[in-house]
Amino acid sequence: MTRSRPFHSPPLVRALLAASVALALPATAMAASCSGKPPSGELKAERIAAIKPSRSEPGLYEGPVWIRDALYFSDFSFSAGFPSRVRKFSPDGTVSTAIEDAGSNGLAVDANGALVAATHKYKAMSRYDIATGQRADVATRYQGQVFNSPNDIAIAADGAIYFTDPDYQKAAAPGGQPVTGIYRIAPDGAVTLVDGTRKNPNGIALSLNGDTLYVNASDGAVRAYPIKDGVPQAGRDVIRGIENGDGMTLDCHGNLYVTEHAPKRVRVFTPQGRELATIRTDANVTNVAFGGADGKTLYITGAGAVWQLRLDVTGLPY
């Protein structure tokens, strides 16, 4: 392990940290410089006892995002339509419902503090006002057709939104796309297909300087798509052998935290694909985010549980 070096925030990190400090985290939570070492070896996350299933039928927790002083996450069931609500967890142990009928899976926070949601109920990308629960459309169609079941989200410094669109919750509403794709929503609302060749793309994240888009899929690879002048180029696999890859996030060194659903773990990799650590849980996992008062608590969502693990390093809030 190399000694931590001063970290000069590239544009994407500055935008995310600005949103995190002003809107998602307390002022002391994330500094403009990176501190602490990334995890190494074998670690185990602990269940948060206060977060218990809110439904009698089976389902998943998804899309963790830390906003201001709380963790928000989707809680959806496998019953008809995959009904989903957004729940809120505060570190004092309080758990409440923030948005009752969100229809959401993956969540993110934009620079204005709004909740951006991948909503399978609407087969669209949505934006929610957390205070009122009011929803607005971000993107509803590509080439005249609704999406399959938007799943996970990454937001660039210029406001462009990238998202994955597998078919896992396609039955939530009629219609869909002929491919399972990766999409970009430009700041002006124009939607383009980044890649429509991969079966069920899932976790998505942007590199710290915003010049690389990372996406995993059911092909077992994390693929890196270079971004030039705002346009993603052809990708190359930087990590192979991912099992049931799901959501991802980054720490402030640029390391990738990749959830593996059925193996019940999060694996940590350098941007070059070298494995650093494995974080284990006791149930299937779906997604991961950094939060807490200092931005050094890793939150992991999954099957009927949310886990937490204190780390030495700060990371991104979704």
Side-chain angles (χ1 to χ4, degrees):
M1 190 73 63
T2 57
R3 178 183 294 273
S4 297
R5 298 186 300 272
F7 176 77
H8 302 288
S9 304
L12 177 63
V13 174
R14 287 198 296 269
L16 285 171
L17 292 181
S20 299
V21 171
L23 300 162
L25 296 177
T28 59
M30 280 182 128
S33 61
C34 185
S35 65
K37 294 181 179 180
S40 62
E42 291 271 340
L43 301 167
K44 183 179 179 180
E46 298 296 327
R47 284 187 181 228
I48 299 175
I51 301 177
K52 301 181 184 300
S54 66
R55 306 174 187 274
S56 58
E57 66 270 20
L60 293 172
Y61 298 156
E62 255 285 9
V65 57
W66 186 269
I67 303 177
R68 295 187 177 92
D69 58 355
L71 183 76
Y72 294 80
F73 59 95
S74 293
D75 170 0
F76 73 88
S77 83
F78 297 144
S79 60
F82 304 96
S84 175
R85 57 175 64 104
V86 174
R87 297 173 72 189
K88 175 184 177 182
F89 167 71
S90 300
D92 65 2
T94 303
V95 182
S96 59
T97 297
I99 303 171
E100 176 56 45
D101 187 20
S104 61
N105 191 315
L107 304 174
V109 60
D110 68 15
N112 296 315
L115 190 71
V116 179
T119 45
H120 50 257
K121 175 181 179 179
Y122 304 101
K123 289 181 173 283
M125 292 296 296
S126 303
R127 182 175 281 109
Y128 280 99
D129 183 314
I130 294 177
T132 66
Q134 184 174 358
R135 189 188 75 89
D137 287 329
V138 176
T140 61
R141 283 171 169 75
Y142 175 69
Q143 294 188 341
Q145 299 184 62
V146 296
F147 300 103
N148 297 314
S149 57
N151 186 282
D152 203 7
I153 309 165
I155 304 178
D158 64 358
I161 298 172
Y162 295 89
F163 71 96
T164 54
D165 187 43
D167 59 14
Y168 296 128
Q169 287 82 48
K170 188 174 182 177
Q177 292 289 325
V179 300
T180 53
I182 303 160
Y183 294 90
R184 178 182 184 268
I185 308 170
D188 65 3
V191 180
T192 54
L193 179 65
V194 174
D195 191 345
T197 67
R198 302 178 71 186
K199 178 63 177 174
N200 285 331
N202 199 326
I204 190 167
L206 282 160
S207 64
L208 296 181
N209 61 9
D211 67 355
T212 304
L213 181 70
Y214 298 106
V215 185
N216 66 51
S218 62
D219 53 23
V222 175
R223 187 166 298 170
Y225 299 83
I227 298 174
K228 297 181 180 179
D229 300 321
V231 179
Q233 309 297 305
R236 65 180 183 85
D237 294 348
V238 292
I239 305 169
R240 292 191 176 96
I242 297 297
E243 299 180 51
N244 299 126
D246 213 316
M248 302 189 293
T249 194
L250 282 78
D251 67 23
C252 64
H253 295 287
N255 299 309
L256 281 160
Y257 292 62
V258 184
T259 58
E260 293 180 300
H261 187 75
K264 307 175 184 178
R265 67 191 179 196
V266 179
R267 286 203 282 168
V268 185
F269 298 89
T270 67
Q272 296 76 33
R274 180 170 62 88
E275 187 168 353
L276 299 176
T278 298
I279 301 166
R280 299 195 181 276
T281 66
D282 58 359
N284 292 357
V285 295
T286 60
N287 216 323
V288 63
F290 282 86
D294 60 359
K296 292 185 176 183
T297 298
L298 191 71
Y299 292 98
I300 305 166
T301 52
V306 178
W307 297 263
Q308 63 184 355
L309 177 65
R310 287 289 299 163
L311 296 175
D312 186 50
V313 66
T314 54
L316 300 183
Y318 66 87

